[in-house]
Amino acid sequence: MGLQPSLCGMVAPRKPATIAVHAGRPSREADQPLNVPITMASTYVAGGDVEYGRYGNPSWQAFEEALGALEGGRALSFASGMAAVTTVLDLVGLEATVVAPAHSYTGTLLALADLESRGRIRTRLVDVTDTAAVVAACDDAALVWVESPTNPALEVADIEAICAAAHEAGAYVVVDNTFATPVLQQPLALGADIVLHSATKFIAGHSDVLMGAVVTASDELFGVLKGRRDLLGAVPGPFETFLALRGLRTLPLRVERASANAATLAARLADHPAVDHVRYPGFGAIVSVVLPDADRADLLVRSTSLWLHATSLGGVESTLERRRRWKAEPATIPEGLVRLSVGIEDVEDLWEDLRAALDDLP
Ligand SMILES: *Cc1c(COP(=O)(O)O)cnc(C)c1O
């Protein structure tokens, strides 16, 4: 047209902190509530687009709009992170190969082992930090599963290089983005086909909800995933979705604060004589400390007064646990590894409590 695009018509892309607050709200009409109310409905009057409660719910839709906007795709909510994991794995064809990190989340490893033991799929476990090995493993794979940072080893994958190699080999890439959250990492922009979340963790953020989600920028994949969710039925409750969206509103704020706390604690922990070493990828709110043995690690998790001894992560409250207390945790994770989920409390209070417990170790 020979004209410069009008600058006044251009809106700068909104930042995550703004998207998290404003996405997924009702239209701005007089007397509309500012938040989508919880709709308790198993069925709807016939003739519309949704029809039945397993196919859609206004509370899911609001949450999905907000998470989709943060990840740069379209989201689908699930009853838990594992519901999302098993729904995605259900898409893999019979006897196809799935490449996955050897240090994936234990639930993911159990799901892969279960499918493999029943002859459904073949699994190729890799060191996700060894990009050349992952790239080599992509050959004739159907699906490349990436988790980055991994839980609880905190290994970081080169998502962009892995996506390029996987696509070259004709494989789809799923990235479990639970640890980084869309605030710190947006895998779709790095080439991933599907992003997966345990929304139970940072997204809901208050240790009171179990929920999962997948996000994709492909309309085709979205349709396939929606069809699987409709069929398998692992859908969330409207109240859970409402709480998850309420949590998501403050996700950038919480991630920023918890990450700053984690960076401070990681540096101080590295200097504490009771700690063998610290694993911290340089971003995010999870820090793993390795103590010399299981006994000292068990003692540490029972000696804090502020930090809560509990599994799971990503809440406003700081928690810690020795990961090898779980049978499914790989033997390559040290017995003395304690995973710290750093919350949003005052960092000096967190440090004093940890330091005192570490000082008292034998
Ligand atoms: C917790 C977790 C899951 C599983 O999510 P649930 O909500 O517990 O079912 C999957 N991936 C990672 C990285 C997790 O930490």
Side-chain angles (χ1 to χ4, degrees), residues 80-82 85 105 108 147 151 176 178-179 198 200-201 210-211 313:
S80 65
M82 283 309 295
V85 168
Y105 169 67
T108 305
E147 190 180 305
N151 178 3
D176 184 331
T178 299
F179 270 40
S198 169
T200 307
K201 314 290 169 54
L210 274 169
M211 247 187 72
L313 54 101

Side-chain angles (χ1 to χ4, degrees), residues 3-173:
L3 291 172
Q4 291 291 322
S6 153
L7 279 179
C8 9
M10 283 170 67
V11 180
R14 297 253 160 84
K15 310 292 188 298
T18 310
I19 295 170
V21 170
H22 285 282
R25 291 195 183 268
S27 58
R28 297 183 177 206
E29 289 158 44
D31 282 343
Q32 278 274 16
L34 269 65
N35 294 289
V36 174
I38 302 168
T39 303
M40 300 302 286
S42 63
T43 189
Y44 306 95
V45 175
D49 293 334
V50 185
E51 298 274 9
Y52 187 52
R54 184 157 30 79
Y55 303 145
N57 179 285
S59 305
W60 305 355
Q61 207 182 328
F63 169 78
E64 290 164 355
E65 264 178 46
L67 180 61
L70 282 174
E71 288 284 12
R74 293 167 75 194
L76 286 162
S77 43
F78 284 83
S80 65
M82 283 309 295
V85 168
T86 52
T87 299
V88 170
L89 289 177
D90 195 62
L91 297 175
V92 178
L94 191 61
E95 295 183 4
T97 296
V98 178
V99 175
H103 289 158
S104 299
Y105 169 67
T106 49
T108 305
L109 289 174
L110 286 171
L112 289 167
D114 171 65
L115 289 169
E116 186 161 43
S117 72
R118 290 187 289 122
R120 278 274 292 103
I121 62 167
R122 295 196 186 92
T123 304
R124 220 175 260 158
L125 296 181
V126 291
D127 172 356
V128 83
T129 65
D130 185 347
T131 306
V134 182
V135 166
C138 288
D139 188 38
D140 75 2
L143 183 70
V144 178
W145 195 278
V146 177
E147 190 180 305
S148 183
T150 55
N151 178 3
L154 298 172
E155 298 143 329
V156 174
D158 184 343
I159 295 174
E160 209 164 2
I162 293 171
C163 288
H167 291 155
E168 184 95 349
Y172 287 102
V173 181

Side-chain angles (χ1 to χ4, degrees), residues 227-285:
R228 277 288 112 168
R229 185 181 68 173
D230 290 353
L231 193 66
L232 299 178
V235 293
F239 186 51
E240 278 72 11
T241 336
F242 175 88
L243 283 178
L245 177 55
R246 193 186 167 104
L248 182 146
R249 297 285 182 225
T250 55
L251 177 70
L253 207 56
R254 287 184 286 105
V255 166
E256 194 180 310
R257 171 62 171 264
S259 301
N261 284 354
T264 302
L265 295 176
R268 294 186 190 175
L269 286 162
D271 287 337
H272 197 286
V275 174
D276 271 1
H277 67 274
V278 174
R279 297 182 186 218
Y280 184 62
F283 63 98

